[in-house]
Structures are given as structure tokens and as C-alpha cells.
Amino acid sequence: MAPKLAGKSDKNHTHSAQTDITGNAGTAIKLKTARKIGNASFDGSADITLAQMGAAASGHTHSNMKAATASAAGAAGLVPAPAAGAQGKYLRGDGTWQTPPNTVYTHPTAAGNKHIPAGGSSGQILRWSSDGTAAWGADNNTTYGNMKAATASAAGGAGLVPAPAAGAQAKFLRADGTWQNPPNTTYGNMGAATASAAGKAGLVPAPAAGAQNKFLRADGTWQNPPNTTYSAATQSANGLMTAADKKKLDGIAASANNYSHPTSAGNKHIPTGGSAGKILKWSASGTAVWGEESLPITGSITLAKASWVQDTTTKLYKQTKTISGLTAKHRVDLDIDYAVEMDLPAAIRPINNNGSFYAITAEPPTKDITAQYTLILTK
């Protein structure tokens, strides 16, 4: 033990106080190498603040969270204080305390939506209980009857095969539920056609040896068809077209018989339509239409004394009148009874100036004159 303790201090040793400080520690007014406290550099020469360190002041405050909208995200903040009575609500993203919508699924219970009922046991089946409802129960009906026969108007029904009677071992079950021999399905040769009777369907009769180039004729025999070689056609007999006729045909121009009647003026046909008593009237150059025959139009007019006006150029007196039906195609005739009108100073003549009618005279009458007119179609 003694060798191991050599050079070691006794457990009750003491150190003398240091009275002399030398080196950098004795003269330093700041740290030789500055150290970081938070975000602030500290070398001991000056105080540092919480702001320099990046710490919040002791009296700082925080605002509530910013609510999210349909188009903008929210922002971090304090949880807003829930109101009294909102202990069962939850903070929604819009910053309000709300009751979440119902997310509990309720399965429909109406007919057609019900599940297979619980319970049941081996060998049981689901039986109808009510509309859309089934219940487990024993399968008691294990007795089956014979099949139901089909009729001409009704389908049969599923069931057991009816027992065949003794001796029916070669018969077949028919859809009417009876055991029968099928009808004869052996076919004979076709029935030949005659000049007065149609043939019948059947098998093709066997051709004899050497008839390999013959054809089955409708009378049921194998025959060589008649000669189908045709000669050139003549003016009295049908036949094939000759090379000379084909050459003539090729020489005919395309659409040589495609005649189109001209439709210009002077080539038009009498128009359709019309009726008894109608006549064709001019409509346009080379065109006529059905219409009524024009008869002269007659009537009377009064040539008032006060309506005569002297033309400054001709010095004649004229009076314009309106006559119903008058056109540029009419000639106007005036009939004045001069025997009655004895004091007329001069003759009165009618003028149809392209559909406008007026009377003209050298001297105006001294009274009103009554005249008969006739309109005669001249064009």
C-alpha cells in the first residue's frame, strides 16, 4: 500500500491562498476570445440585451391565429379563446369553434338494403319473412313432383323425370311429359316437277356412273343442258351482236339522243293551265300566260268648267282626269253629244299620255260638260 500512496497528499491537506496573479488573467478587462450568448457576441467589456440575444422581451404578446379562407392559407398564432358553453366544440380552420358535421354512417334499413340476418345453423336456409326480409329456417320441403308438361301455349316446369313404363326402353321423353317414339326423320328423294305440278323437297337422287358431266334437272333426272350457243342477231331473230354492229354502235357520239328543247324566246311551248274562255296574253318576250279576254272599258266623266288650265307653251286648255283601269296600253275615246252641247266653242280631244289621261281644247267651255269615254286595249 505504501508504494502506491507515495507522492499523494493526505486527506486532511490544505492549500495556501494565492496572493500573486500573473499573465493575462492579472491584467484582462475583457475575454481574450469573445463568446456567443444567443445571437450576441460577449467578451465581457459591455452588457448585452435580450434583443441582441434574439430573445423576446418579458412583456411581449402574441395575436390569435389567422383564419384560412377558400383561396388563402391561414397563419400561425394563438388559439382563440372558446366561449362559455363551447366545451364540446372544435377549432375550425376559419378560426371559429364549431361542432363537426355528422360523420356517423347509418346503413339504410328499407327493403332491398337489409343484411343477411345473424344466427342460423348448419342445414338451415333463408326463407321469405316479409318484403325485403329473410329469416333462417329448416329446409323441410324435400319432396319433388314430376316435371310439368309443356303445351302449345304454356311452358312446362322443372321436376322429376316421369317413370317410363315397361316396354318403353326404346322411347324418348317428349316435352309433354310422355315417353314416345320420335317421328320418322328418314328422307326420300326429291319429288320431280312436271308441266302442271310443283316438285317436292328431298334428297338429290344418285347420279349413275358416267353422269359426272350431267346436271340435275327439275324432273329429278341427270341430263345434259340444251345447246346454249347463240348465233348473230338478225332483224327477225335475237342473237349475239356482230362485230360490224358493235363498230357502228361505237361510232355514235355520246348523248346523241339526249335532245334538249331550247327555252329561248320563239321556242317556248303553250303554257299549262288555263280554262275555258281564257286567252293567251303577252307576258314577256316569247312568253305568254293564260288570262281573261280584255273588253273595252266604258264610263262617263264630267269636265268641270273651273278645271280647265291653259298650257303656257301651246296656249291650249287641258284638264287632267282619273279613269279607273287606265294604263299606257289603252287608247281613250271621248263621246260628247254636240247636239246637246250646242254652245261648245271648240272640239274636245282625249289624250292618254302613257297612262295619264287629260282632255284638250282650243277654247274652254263656258259650262260643265258630261262625256262618255271608252278605253280600248291596243297593245
Side-chain angles (χ1 to χ4, degrees):
M1 180 66 72
K4 292 183 178 181
L5 294 176
K8 304 295 184 183
S9 298
D10 184 70
K11 68 177 183 178
N12 295 322
H13 75 281
T14 59
H15 293 278
S16 57
Q18 185 172 352
T19 59
D20 183 23
I21 299 176
T22 61
N24 185 63
T27 60
I29 59 175
K30 63 179 181 179
L31 298 176
K32 182 177 181 181
T33 303
R35 294 290 184 264
K36 281 282 216 178
I37 300 178
N39 293 331
S41 178
F42 178 71
D43 60 3
S45 63
D47 295 335
I48 59 176
T49 65
L50 290 175
Q52 290 176 309
M53 294 171 60
S58 59
H60 75 282
T61 59
H62 292 278
S63 59
N64 286 354
M65 62 172 278
K66 180 182 177 182
T69 66
S71 58
L78 297 176
V79 172
Q87 67 276 9
K89 297 184 178 181
Y90 295 83
L91 181 62
R92 201 164 64 180
D94 62 358
T96 62
W97 294 92
Q98 302 289 340
T99 299
N102 183 14
T103 57
V104 178
Y105 172 73
T106 302
H107 188 76
T109 58
N113 296 289
K114 297 181 180 180
H115 295 145
I116 296 175
S121 60
S122 177
Q124 288 188 326
I125 61 173
L126 282 174
R127 295 177 178 276
W128 182 92
S129 175
S130 61
D131 183 22
T133 304
W136 292 107
D139 184 8
N140 299 322
N141 183 15
T142 56
T143 303
Y144 296 96
N146 285 354
M147 61 170 279
K148 180 182 177 182
T151 67
S153 58
L160 299 175
V161 173
Q169 68 276 6
K171 296 184 178 181
F172 296 85
L173 180 62
R174 200 165 64 180
D176 63 357
T178 62
W179 295 90
Q180 302 289 340
N181 288 317
N184 183 12
T185 56
T186 302
Y187 296 95
N189 285 353
M190 60 171 279
T194 66
S196 59
K200 295 183 179 180
L203 300 176
V204 173
Q212 67 274 9
N213 293 323
K214 295 183 179 182
F215 296 85
L216 180 63
R217 199 166 64 182
D219 62 358
T221 62
W222 295 90
Q223 302 290 339
N224 288 317
N227 184 11
T228 56
T229 303
Y230 296 95
S231 59
T234 67
Q235 291 185 354
S236 60
N238 295 327
L240 301 176
M241 179 182 290
T242 64
D245 289 341
K246 180 63 170 66
K247 186 175 181 181
K248 291 178 181 178
L249 183 62
D250 290 344
I252 299 175
S255 302
N257 63 340
N258 187 14
Y259 173 74
S260 296
H261 188 75
T263 58
S264 58
N267 295 289
K268 297 181 180 180
H269 294 146
I270 296 173
T272 59
S275 61
K278 297 288 183 70
I279 63 171
L280 285 174
K281 294 185 175 186
W282 182 93
S283 173
S285 176
T287 303
V289 295
W290 291 107
E292 300 290 343
E293 184 176 3
S294 298
L295 298 175
I297 301 172
T298 61
S300 64
I301 58 173
T302 298
L303 300 174
K305 169 186 174 183
S307 298
W308 294 99
V309 178
Q310 187 177 31
D311 187 282
T312 57
T313 302
T314 64
K315 304 303 180 180
L316 297 175
Y317 292 86
K318 66 180 181 178
Q319 183 174 154
T320 302
K321 301 298 293 184
T322 300
I323 298 178
S324 178
L326 175 63
T327 69
K329 300 177 182 180
H330 289 96
R331 184 185 82 236
V332 182
D333 288 345
L334 281 183
D335 183 13
I336 299 174
D337 190 349
Y338 287 91
V340 175
E341 308 294 345
M342 294 295 293
D343 56 349
L344 282 179
I348 299 174
R349 294 182 294 113
I351 302 295
N352 180 9
N353 185 20
N354 197 25
S356 175
F357 165 71
Y358 59 89
I360 190 170
T361 184
E363 296 183 37
T366 58
K367 63 178 181 179
D368 294 343
I369 303 298
T370 300
Q372 305 299 318
Y373 67 81
T374 300
L375 305 184
I376 299 174
L377 194 62
T378 60
K379 297 181 181 179

